[in-house]
Amino acid sequence: MKLFSLFFAFLILQYSNAKGQEIISLGARSAGVANTSGTFEDPYATFNNVAGSASLTGVQFASSLENRFGLRSLSTIGFASSINTKFGVPSIS
């Protein structure tokens, strides 16, 4: 019974921690396809799918601004940069 009580308390605590989690996909293209941007290979892959940035060439920059409901506290801003080198594609966001 003690083990069951601990397990139940653990589940309750995990549920309360997960309430504030939100997946934020940046970029208009990602928002246009209902945030299903797992296969895109564009500069916004740095935000949404880092593996997609492997095919980028040259130096690329991306920026995004989303203003939700006109409230400053719900706005998201993002900047990203990628550069193709002979060792891979390092990205900074």
Side-chain angles (χ1 to χ4, degrees):
M1 184 66 180
K2 189 182 237 185
L3 182 62
F4 179 74
S5 298
L6 287 173
F7 180 71
F8 187 71
F10 176 75
L11 286 179
I12 295 292
L13 290 175
Q14 289 303 317
Y15 178 73
S16 65
N17 287 339
K19 286 184 196 174
Q21 303 301 319
E22 180 180 356
I23 298 173
I24 299 174
S25 297
L26 297 177
R29 186 176 175 197
S30 175
V33 293
N35 296 328
T36 56
S37 56
T39 60
F40 292 161
E41 297 175 352
D42 59 1
Y44 291 97
T46 304
F47 300 124
N48 305 321
N49 177 23
V50 180
S53 64
S55 64
L56 298 178
T57 58
V59 178
Q60 298 194 9
F61 298 97
S63 64
S64 177
L65 170 66
E66 182 178 1
N67 188 2
R68 295 184 181 186
F69 310 114
L71 298 173
R72 186 174 183 180
S73 60
L74 296 178
S75 298
T76 56
I77 300 172
F79 297 100
S81 172
S82 300
I83 183 168
N84 190 349
T85 65
K86 63 181 179 178
F87 300 110
V89 183
S91 299
I92 298 173
S93 65

